[in-house]
C-alpha cells in the first residue's frame, strides 16, 4: 500500500488514473493498526521521466564533446530578418501564436511554414528533414534568414522528439 500525505508533496500535475505508470520515492513505514507495511510517497512522477532525463543528458554530453555547441559554430542571428522559416505543426496553437506576434511586431516579414508532426513516432525525422529543406537553397522558394523550430508546451514525453539526435544535428 502507498500513502500520500497532503503536507508531504504537491498534488500531481495530472490526476492519477487507474493503469497509470508512475515512479515513486518514499519511506517504508509500518501501519501498526493492521500490521502492514506501507510506502509513504514523497516524490511521484510519470514513469520514464528519470530515464528520459538521463538519455537527454547523455546525448547532450556526446554532442558537447563533438563540439556541436561550441560558440565558434554558432552563427549570429540577423537583427532584422526578412524571411523566416517555421518548422511546426500547421494546426497547433504554437503556430497561431507565432504568426499573431510576428504580424504585429514585424509586418514586413515573409514567413514560410514547413509543416511537420511535432509529437509521436517519426516526428523527429520529419522535423530534421524540414530543417534541412529550409536550410538548403532551391528553386521552390527564396532562402530564409533564420529558422524557428517550435511547438506548444507539454510533458517531457510530449516534447521528446525535439531532443532526438537527428534534430540536434539538423
Amino acid at each position: 500500500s502507498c500513502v500520500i500525505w497532503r503536507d508531504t508533496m504537491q498534488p500531481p500535475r495530472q490526476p492519477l488514473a487507474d493503469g497509470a505508470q508512475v515512479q515513486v520515492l518514499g519511506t517504508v513505514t509500518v501501519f501498526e493498526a493492521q500490521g502492514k507495511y506501507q510506502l509513504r510517497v514523497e516524490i511521484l512522477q510519470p514513469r520514464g521521466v528519470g530515464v528520459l532525463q538521463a538519455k537527454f543528458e547523455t546525448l547532450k554530453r556526446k554532442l558537447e564533446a563533438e563540439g556541436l555547441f561550441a560558440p565558434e559554430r554558432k552563427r549570429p542571428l540577423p537583427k532584422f530578418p526578412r524571411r523566416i522559416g517555421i518548422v511546426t505543426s500547421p494546426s497547433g496553437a504554437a503556430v497561431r501564436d507565432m504568426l499573431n506576434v510576428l504580424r504585429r511586431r514585424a509586418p514586413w516579414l515573409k514567413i514560410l511554414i514547413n509543416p511537420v508532426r511535432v509529437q509521436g513516432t517519426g516526428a523527429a525525422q520529419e522535423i530534421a528533414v524540414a530543417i534541412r529543406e529550409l536550410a538548403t537553397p532551391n528553386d521552390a522558394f527564396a532562402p530564409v534568414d533564420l529558422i524557428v523550430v517550435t511547438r506548444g508546451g507539454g510533458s517531457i514525453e510530449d516534447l521528446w522528439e525535439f531532443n532526438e539526435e537527428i534534430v540536434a544535428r539538423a
Side-chain angles (χ1 to χ4, degrees):
S1 297
C2 295
V3 294
I4 302 174
W5 301 111
R6 190 174 316 171
D7 61 343
T8 305
M9 62 174 255
Q10 296 292 324
R13 274 187 263 155
Q14 295 176 336
L16 293 175
D18 286 344
Q21 295 186 1
V22 296
Q23 294 174 323
V24 297
L25 175 73
T27 306
V28 176
T29 60
V30 177
F31 183 48
E32 291 181 26
Q34 295 181 354
K36 293 183 179 177
Y37 289 104
Q38 64 184 15
L39 180 65
R40 191 177 67 215
V41 177
E42 296 160 12
I43 297 173
L44 178 127
Q45 63 187 20
R47 181 175 172 253
V49 171
V51 172
L52 290 177
Q53 189 63 38
K55 187 176 174 184
F56 173 78
E57 294 299 331
T58 301
L59 177 60
K60 185 177 167 188
R61 281 192 301 275
K62 174 186 174 184
L63 298 178
E64 229 164 20
E66 291 179 25
L68 234 59
F69 306 131
E72 59 271 10
R73 287 189 59 121
K74 295 185 179 187
R75 298 179 213 158
L77 293 174
K79 194 166 189 135
F80 296 103
R82 294 179 199 196
R83 292 180 54 80
I84 68 167
I86 302 176
V87 176
T88 192
S89 168
S91 60
V95 73
R96 288 192 303 272
D97 291 346
M98 286 201 66
L99 292 175
N100 181 20
V101 170
L102 290 172
R103 284 185 186 125
R104 283 186 290 119
R105 293 187 180 180
W108 66 86
L109 271 177
K110 301 289 184 211
I111 301 167
L112 180 63
I113 297 172
N114 201 342
V116 296
R117 288 180 299 139
V118 294
Q119 189 173 328
T121 306
Q125 287 77 14
E126 285 185 30
I127 295 165
V129 167
I131 292 168
R132 280 196 225 76
E133 286 174 351
L134 289 174
T136 306
N138 64 61
D139 296 333
F141 56 86
V144 295
D145 298 319
L146 62 94
I147 300 170
V148 178
V149 182
T150 187
R151 70 152 284 158
S155 68
I156 190 170
E157 293 91 350
D158 291 343
L159 298 169
W160 188 254
E161 296 299 313
F162 287 82
N163 293 333
E164 292 289 352
E165 184 171 354
I166 190 171
V167 174
R169 292 191 181 282

